[in-house]
Amino acid sequence: MFTDKESFKQAYLMKLIAGEGITADEATPWDKFVALVMLLKEKMSYYRAINKNSISQGKQIYYFSMEFLIGKLLHNYLVNFKIEDLVREGLADLDIKLEDLLEQEADPGLGNGGLGRLAACFLDSMAFLGIDGHGNGIRYKYGLFEQKIVSGNQVEIADNWLKNGYPWEMRKMDKAVIVKFKGTVRHELKDGRVVFVHENYEPVLAVPYDVPIMSYDNPSYINNLRLWSAETTCSELDLACFNRGEFNQATSFRSEVEAISYILYPDDSSRAGRELRLRQEYFFVAAGLGTIVRSYKKKNGLSSLHNFSRRVSVHINDTHPVLCIPELMRILIDEEGMGWDEAWNITVNTMSFTNHTIMPEAMEKWPIDMVKTLLPRIYMIIEEIDRRFKEDLAARFMDHEEVVQNTHILKDGYVWMANLAIVGSSSVNGVAQLHTKILKNEVFKDYFRVFGYKFNNKTNGVNHRRFLLAANPKLSHLITEAVGPNWKEDAGELKKLQAFKDDQSFLEQLAKVKYENKCRLAERVTSGYGIVLDPQSIFDVQVKRIHAYKRQLLNVLKIMHLYNKCLNEPDRLTGSQTFIFGGKAAPGYHYAKTVIKLINCLSKKIEQDPRVREKLKIVFIENFNVSQGELIYPAADISEQISTASKEASGTGNMKFMMNGALTLGTLDGANVEIREAVGEDNVFIFGLTAEQVLDYTRHGGYKPWDEYHNHPELRTCVDQLNGGFFDNMGEEFRTLYDSLMIYNDEFFILKDFPSYIQTHEKLQSLYLNPKEWNKHSLLNIAGSGIFSSDRTIREYADWIWKVRYRTVNSISSI
Ligand code: 26V
């Protein structure tokens, strides 16, 4: 890499002149950004070319995911190359501010939230651990919509992230493949066996764009994120149409094809059961798997497919890529001439599957007719998988009719994707201990009886180098001064910080860093929204998708309660508090959009009331995304993780807050349970029903929100305030929210958990008045966050699921 500033400057100027044909004086900030990216890409290609050694000994892992929320790359890659300071100084000599270039980069919104960000963290950790692990997904032309708040309402704007181009990607036209939709399947006899021929299909050209994924501190580990874009196969066809004057037909054909990779579904509130979504799923599965098999054969010879599952693992991230299972069967049987049993053996041993939710509405299913029409051969294979599975089960579970009934893949006119995933994979994992327990005992309990050995837990983790090292340089510096630099490679080393828990001078430095991060966020909020935040006040933060089960409404009711208290018993409210919200609502999700409106209305009401505005403040940060997160996590005092117990599979924001020293105010849900284990119960602030209690109510009923309403007058006041009169000119606007609580039986137990939430929040408020104690809790959270690094998660996937070697800090794993 660059060893000194001068060599960097020289190379950079050359790149600018050679690449863009301009001098530094003429170049725009965009040109300068592109030149820097090109320079790093060139370095990566060089390192990739000179280092062919693989720690994973040739075994390739492919992570199939509909979503990858990779965030901006430039800053992280400078950190990974360990050249951030050198580059900053070199650019400064040229009168260029690195920060201005970092601003230029788009944050590709190719995901909805936690699931997509997890995939990106995994790519980083795979590269870091030297695993040949590659992402396979879709290059959506438009990512998740950009959110603006207009008069308190969410407004969605198309996310045209490619408008200037995306310099990290490389279009690989020579690796384009054809994906076949619709048509008919004919069978014929060839050399004594039945072969299937797919005819009259609609071809779609899948063109890959590769994005390099580099490792921290080891530039030779470069992996690939392959994103597929849909194009028409034959421009001549269009041309012919144009020539004949059939403009409409030509353009509609083109747009129908291109629609496949046009836009990411923002489906966080209802599964879009649309054919286009199914097309997307098959599109990236078929393009990705076809390429994998071809490259495997090139490397290992034609006759070696028998060993495929020993050299290749395909990971299915949620059910969206489940068609990998019938597609690999199709390739092995139809294209490679293999028999069913061997093909099935290879397929099951190649595939592994992660489930990310227990919400029943989120379980993917496709109408049989739709699958049959769109993917005729794939449907035949699914039918055969189902038939054989049922036959096998009927023999093994003769006396347990319910097991046989509840495990069908084809049921009620639908293909149930999670069922196909479980039957066709060798491993099925949940993403936190509690979540996995619920999968085994509730959601997939019949499958657990059949395939107990497949089920396992892999608690999520996050990339601590992005969310701590790069996002919070001041804290990183402090940590390194205290315990040395090894925590960057081994997050477990953060434990050593425990030794400083009574060191007042260290704790004061920690508080100073937090204060400065709060100032940094406050400045952004002031410049963005003209709102002034008081960095001395406690920053209480809830940033995540807006969803009923995540209970932003509970948080709002708490603030309404504080407002009322401020008016009625002003002396009892000590200190001032800033409540920060952020998150997108799915465009068609009325409830979630109403919650956003409520947050903004309450914010305005407080701001206009001189009796409270010195004590309380609410900001809703627009367009929450990876980059915003990097600014917000380091500035938080309280991390709100308040989902109804049992509903949040894991959560990963909880981990990002914790490693930046925020204290968790949360329920015993998802990975919060393990956060408590990691830091001890004195260092987390838990309230509310347990998952067991929630599931019990769900099973047996008996929950009466009206009882809570009547028994807690201060709660009753807040709920009534939703119903009109409290917010100026708001009429019936918040009726939906009121009704969800009082008419539709408060499905997410907001009223039930309200009293204990208020109590626990009060505990935190008083604790904040004792900085010594607060800072100690904060430090112990950072110290205990090491196990939530995605490096740990990926090591577990590698050991137990993919069976692949990886680099450890000093050597190689023991497999
Ligand atoms: C989707 C839908 C769509 C239909 C209606 C309800 C609903 C509820 C949730 C979802 C999200 C499904 C998948 C997902 O994003 N899961 C998230 O995965 C994260 C990474 O494992 C995990 O931390 C989050 O807890 C989990 O919600």
Side-chain angles (χ1 to χ4, degrees), residues 67 112-119 267-272 317-318 320 354-363 431 435 460 547 549-550 589 647-655 670:
E67 305 189 3
N112 272 284
L115 172 134
R117 183 53 232 174
L118 185 80
D267 72 337
D268 221 60
S269 66
S270 63
R271 276 276 177 246
N317 194 30
D318 215 87
H320 323 136
T354 299
N355 166 285
H356 292 267
T357 183
I358 65 153
M359 305 288 283
E361 329 81 284
M363 294 295 167
V431 290
H435 171 231
N460 282 167
H547 210 292
Y549 84 84
K550 294 179 189 279
Y589 191 3
K647 304 290 180 195
E648 188 71 271
S650 155
T652 43
N654 45 4
M655 303 167 185

Coordinates of all heavy atoms in Angstrom, one line a residue, residues 67 112-119 267-272 317-318 320 354-363 431 435 460 547 549-550 589 647-655 670, ligand 1:
E67 N -31.3 -8.8 0.0 CA -31.0 -7.5 0.6 C -29.5 -7.4 1.1 O -29.1 -8.3 1.8 CB -31.9 -7.1 1.7 CG -33.4 -7.2 1.3 CD -34.4 -6.6 2.4 OE1 -33.9 -6.1 3.4 OE2 -35.6 -6.7 2.1
N112 N -34.2 -3.4 3.6 CA -35.2 -2.8 4.4 C -34.7 -2.4 5.8 O -35.2 -1.4 6.4 CB -36.4 -3.7 4.5 CG -37.4 -3.6 3.4 OD1 -38.1 -2.6 3.4 ND2 -37.4 -4.5 2.5
G113 N -33.8 -3.2 6.3 CA -33.4 -3.0 7.7 C -32.4 -4.0 8.2 O -31.5 -4.4 7.5
G114 N -32.7 -4.6 9.4 CA -31.8 -5.5 10.0 C -31.3 -6.7 9.2 O -30.1 -7.0 9.2
L115 N -32.2 -7.3 8.4 CA -31.8 -8.4 7.7 C -30.7 -8.1 6.6 O -29.7 -8.8 6.4 CB -33.0 -9.0 7.0 CG -32.9 -10.1 6.0 CD1 -33.9 -11.2 6.3 CD2 -33.1 -9.7 4.6
G116 N -30.9 -7.0 5.9 CA -30.0 -6.6 4.9 C -28.6 -6.1 5.5 O -27.6 -6.3 4.9
R117 N -28.7 -5.4 6.6 CA -27.5 -4.9 7.3 C -26.7 -6.1 7.8 O -25.5 -6.2 7.8 CB -27.8 -3.9 8.4 CG -26.6 -3.3 9.1 CD -25.6 -2.7 8.1 NE -24.3 -3.2 8.3 CZ -23.2 -2.9 7.6 NH1 -23.3 -2.2 6.5 NH2 -22.0 -3.5 7.9
L118 N -27.4 -7.1 8.3 CA -26.7 -8.3 8.8 C -25.9 -9.0 7.7 O -24.8 -9.4 7.9 CB -27.8 -9.3 9.4 CG -27.1 -10.6 10.0 CD1 -26.7 -10.2 11.5 CD2 -28.1 -11.7 10.1
A119 N -26.5 -9.1 6.5 CA -25.9 -9.7 5.4 C -24.6 -8.9 5.1 O -23.5 -9.5 4.8 CB -26.8 -9.7 4.2
D267 N -41.3 -4.0 1.8 CA -42.5 -4.8 2.3 C -42.2 -5.2 3.8 O -42.1 -6.3 4.1 CB -42.7 -6.1 1.5 CG -41.6 -7.1 1.7 OD1 -40.5 -6.7 2.1 OD2 -41.9 -8.3 1.5
D268 N -42.3 -4.2 4.6 CA -42.1 -4.5 6.0 C -43.4 -4.6 6.7 O -43.5 -4.9 7.9 CB -41.3 -3.4 6.7 CG -40.3 -4.0 7.6 OD1 -39.5 -4.8 7.2 OD2 -40.4 -3.7 8.8
S269 N -44.5 -4.4 6.0 CA -45.8 -4.5 6.7 C -46.7 -5.6 6.1 O -47.6 -6.1 6.8 CB -46.5 -3.2 6.7 OG -46.9 -2.9 5.4
S270 N -46.5 -5.9 4.9 CA -47.3 -6.9 4.3 C -46.5 -7.6 3.2 O -45.8 -6.9 2.5 CB -48.6 -6.4 3.7 OG -48.3 -5.5 2.6
R271 N -46.5 -8.9 3.1 CA -45.7 -9.6 2.1 C -46.4 -9.3 0.8 O -47.5 -9.5 0.6 CB -45.8 -11.1 2.4 CG -44.8 -11.5 3.3 CD -43.4 -11.7 2.6 NE -42.4 -12.1 3.6 CZ -41.4 -11.4 3.9 NH1 -41.2 -10.2 3.3 NH2 -40.5 -11.8 4.8
A272 N -45.6 -8.7 -0.1 CA -46.1 -8.4 -1.4 C -46.2 -9.8 -2.2 O -45.2 -10.4 -2.6 CB -45.2 -7.5 -2.2
N317 N -30.6 -16.6 3.0 CA -30.9 -15.6 4.0 C -32.4 -15.3 4.0 O -32.9 -14.6 3.2 CB -30.1 -14.3 3.7 CG -30.1 -13.4 4.9 OD1 -30.2 -13.8 6.1 ND2 -30.0 -12.1 4.6
D318 N -33.1 -15.8 5.0 CA -34.6 -15.8 5.1 C -35.1 -16.6 3.9 O -34.3 -17.2 3.1 CB -35.1 -14.4 5.1 CG -36.3 -14.3 6.0 OD1 -36.2 -14.1 7.2 OD2 -37.4 -14.4 5.4
H320 N -36.4 -15.7 1.1 CA -36.5 -15.1 -0.3 C -35.6 -15.9 -1.3 O -36.0 -16.0 -2.5 CB -36.0 -13.6 -0.3 CG -36.5 -12.9 0.9 ND1 -35.7 -12.0 1.6 CD2 -37.7 -12.9 1.6 CE1 -36.4 -11.5 2.7 NE2 -37.6 -12.1 2.6
T354 N -31.4 -19.6 7.2 CA -31.6 -18.8 8.4 C -33.0 -18.2 8.4 O -33.4 -17.6 7.4 CB -30.6 -17.6 8.5 OG1 -29.3 -18.2 8.6 CG2 -30.8 -16.8 9.8
N355 N -33.7 -18.4 9.5 CA -35.0 -17.7 9.7 C -34.8 -16.5 10.5 O -34.1 -16.4 11.4 CB -36.0 -18.7 10.4 CG -37.2 -18.0 10.9 OD1 -37.2 -17.2 11.9 ND2 -38.3 -18.2 10.2
H356 N -35.6 -15.4 10.1 CA -35.3 -14.1 10.8 C -36.6 -13.5 11.4 O -36.6 -12.4 11.8 CB -34.8 -13.0 9.8 CG -33.5 -13.3 9.3 ND1 -32.3 -12.8 9.8 CD2 -33.0 -14.1 8.2 CE1 -31.3 -13.2 9.2 NE2 -31.7 -13.9 8.2
T357 N -37.7 -14.3 11.4 CA -38.9 -13.7 12.1 C -39.8 -14.8 12.5 O -39.9 -15.9 11.9 CB -39.6 -12.7 11.2 OG1 -40.7 -12.2 11.9 CG2 -40.1 -13.3 9.9
I358 N -40.6 -14.5 13.5 CA -41.7 -15.5 13.9 C -43.1 -14.9 13.5 O -44.1 -15.5 13.7 CB -41.7 -15.9 15.4 CG1 -42.0 -14.7 16.2 CG2 -40.4 -16.5 15.8 CD1 -42.6 -15.1 17.6
M359 N -43.1 -13.7 13.0 CA -44.4 -13.0 12.7 C -45.1 -13.9 11.6 O -44.5 -14.0 10.5 CB -44.1 -11.6 12.2 CG -43.3 -10.7 13.1 SD -44.2 -10.3 14.6 CE -45.3 -9.0 13.9
P360 N -46.3 -14.4 11.9 CA -46.9 -15.2 10.9 C -47.2 -14.5 9.6 O -47.0 -15.2 8.5 CB -48.2 -15.6 11.6 CG -48.3 -15.0 12.9 CD -47.0 -14.2 13.1
E361 N -47.5 -13.2 9.6 CA -47.7 -12.5 8.4 C -46.5 -12.4 7.5 O -46.6 -12.1 6.3 CB -48.2 -11.1 8.5 CG -49.0 -10.7 9.7 CD -48.2 -10.4 11.0 OE1 -47.8 -11.4 11.6 OE2 -48.0 -9.2 11.3
A362 N -45.3 -12.6 8.1 CA -44.1 -12.5 7.4 C -43.7 -13.8 6.7 O -42.7 -13.8 5.9 CB -43.0 -12.0 8.3
M363 N -44.4 -14.9 6.9 CA -44.0 -16.1 6.3 C -44.4 -16.1 4.8 O -45.5 -15.9 4.5 CB -44.7 -17.3 7.0 CG -44.3 -17.5 8.5 SD -42.6 -18.0 8.6 CE -42.3 -17.7 10.3
V431 N -31.8 -16.6 15.0 CA -30.8 -15.5 15.1 C -30.5 -15.0 16.6 O -29.7 -14.0 16.7 CB -31.1 -14.4 14.2 CG1 -30.9 -14.8 12.7 CG2 -32.5 -13.8 14.4
H435 N -35.2 -16.6 20.2 CA -35.8 -16.8 18.9 C -35.7 -18.3 18.4 O -36.7 -18.9 18.0 CB -35.2 -15.9 17.9 CG -35.6 -16.1 16.4 ND1 -34.7 -16.2 15.4 CD2 -36.8 -16.2 15.9 CE1 -35.3 -16.4 14.3 NE2 -36.6 -16.4 14.5
N460 N -27.0 -13.3 16.3 CA -26.5 -12.2 15.4 C -25.3 -11.5 16.0 O -25.1 -11.5 17.2 CB -27.6 -11.2 15.1 CG -28.6 -11.7 14.1 OD1 -29.7 -11.1 13.9 ND2 -28.3 -12.8 13.4
H547 N -42.8 -0.1 13.3 CA -43.7 -1.3 13.3 C -44.4 -1.4 14.6 O -43.9 -1.1 15.7 CB -42.8 -2.5 13.1 CG -43.5 -3.6 12.3 ND1 -44.6 -4.3 12.8 CD2 -43.4 -4.1 11.0 CE1 -45.1 -5.1 11.9 NE2 -44.3 -5.1 10.8
Y549 N -45.1 -4.0 16.4 CA -44.5 -4.8 17.4 C -43.2 -4.2 18.0 O -42.8 -4.6 19.1 CB -44.2 -6.2 16.8 CG -42.9 -6.4 16.1 CD1 -41.7 -6.6 16.7 CD2 -42.8 -6.3 14.7 CE1 -40.5 -6.8 16.0 CE2 -41.7 -6.4 14.0 CZ -40.5 -6.7 14.7 OH -39.3 -6.8 14.0
K550 N -42.6 -3.2 17.3 CA -41.4 -2.6 17.9 C -41.8 -1.5 18.9 O -41.0 -1.0 19.7 CB -40.6 -2.0 16.8 CG -39.9 -3.0 15.9 CD -39.1 -2.4 14.8 CE -38.6 -3.4 13.7 NZ -37.4 -4.1 14.1
Y589 N -48.4 1.1 5.0 CA -48.6 0.7 6.4 C -49.2 1.9 7.2 O -48.4 2.7 7.8 CB -47.3 0.2 7.0 CG -47.4 -0.5 8.3 CD1 -48.5 -0.8 9.0 CD2 -46.2 -0.9 8.9 CE1 -48.5 -1.5 10.2 CE2 -46.1 -1.6 10.1 CZ -47.3 -1.9 10.8 OH -47.3 -2.5 11.9
K647 N -41.3 -11.1 19.9 CA -41.6 -10.7 18.6 C -40.4 -10.3 17.8 O -40.3 -10.5 16.6 CB -42.6 -9.5 18.5 CG -43.9 -9.8 19.2 CD -44.8 -10.7 18.5 CE -46.1 -11.0 19.2 NZ -46.8 -12.1 18.8
E648 N -39.4 -9.7 18.4 CA -38.2 -9.3 17.7 C -37.2 -10.5 17.7 O -36.7 -10.9 18.7 CB -37.5 -8.1 18.4 CG -36.4 -7.4 17.7 CD -36.9 -6.7 16.5 OE1 -36.9 -7.3 15.4 OE2 -37.2 -5.5 16.6
A649 N -36.9 -11.0 16.5 CA -36.1 -12.2 16.4 C -34.8 -12.0 17.1 O -34.3 -12.8 18.0 CB -35.9 -12.6 15.0
S650 N -34.1 -10.9 16.8 CA -32.8 -10.6 17.5 C -32.7 -9.2 17.8 O -32.5 -8.7 18.9 CB -31.6 -11.1 16.7 OG -30.5 -10.4 17.0
G651 N -32.8 -8.4 16.7 CA -32.4 -7.0 16.8 C -30.9 -6.9 16.7 O -30.1 -7.8 17.1
T652 N -30.4 -5.9 16.0 CA -28.9 -5.7 15.9 C -28.6 -4.3 16.3 O -27.4 -4.0 16.7 CB -28.5 -6.0 14.5 OG1 -29.4 -5.4 13.5 CG2 -28.4 -7.5 14.2
G653 N -29.5 -3.4 16.2 CA -29.3 -2.0 16.7 C -28.9 -2.0 18.2 O -28.0 -1.3 18.6
N654 N -29.6 -2.9 18.9 CA -29.3 -3.0 20.3 C -27.8 -3.3 20.6 O -27.2 -2.7 21.5 CB -30.1 -4.2 21.0 CG -30.2 -5.5 20.1 OD1 -29.5 -5.5 19.1 ND2 -30.9 -6.4 20.6
M655 N -27.1 -4.0 19.7 CA -25.7 -4.3 19.8 C -24.9 -3.1 19.4 O -23.8 -2.8 20.1 CB -25.3 -5.5 18.9 CG -26.2 -6.8 19.2 SD -26.0 -8.0 17.9 CE -27.2 -9.2 18.4
G670 N -35.5 -11.1 21.9 CA -34.4 -11.2 21.0 C -33.0 -11.3 21.7 O -32.9 -12.0 22.7
Ligands
26V1 C1 -41.4 -8.6 7.7 C2 -42.7 -8.5 7.8 C3 -43.5 -8.5 6.6 C4 -44.9 -8.9 6.8 C5 -45.5 -8.4 8.0 C6 -44.8 -8.4 9.2 C7 -43.3 -8.4 9.1 C8 -42.5 -8.5 10.2 C9 -41.2 -8.6 10.1 C10 -40.6 -8.7 8.8 C11 -39.2 -8.8 8.7 C12 -38.7 -10.1 8.3 C13 -37.3 -10.4 8.2 C14 -36.4 -9.5 9.0 O1 -36.0 -8.4 8.5 N1 -36.0 -9.9 10.2 C15 -35.1 -9.1 11.0 O2 -33.8 -9.8 10.9 C16 -32.8 -9.2 11.7 C17 -31.5 -9.9 11.4 O3 -31.6 -11.2 11.8 C18 -33.2 -9.3 13.2 O4 -32.2 -8.7 14.0 C19 -34.6 -8.6 13.4 O5 -35.0 -8.9 14.8 C20 -35.6 -9.2 12.5 O6 -36.8 -8.5 12.6

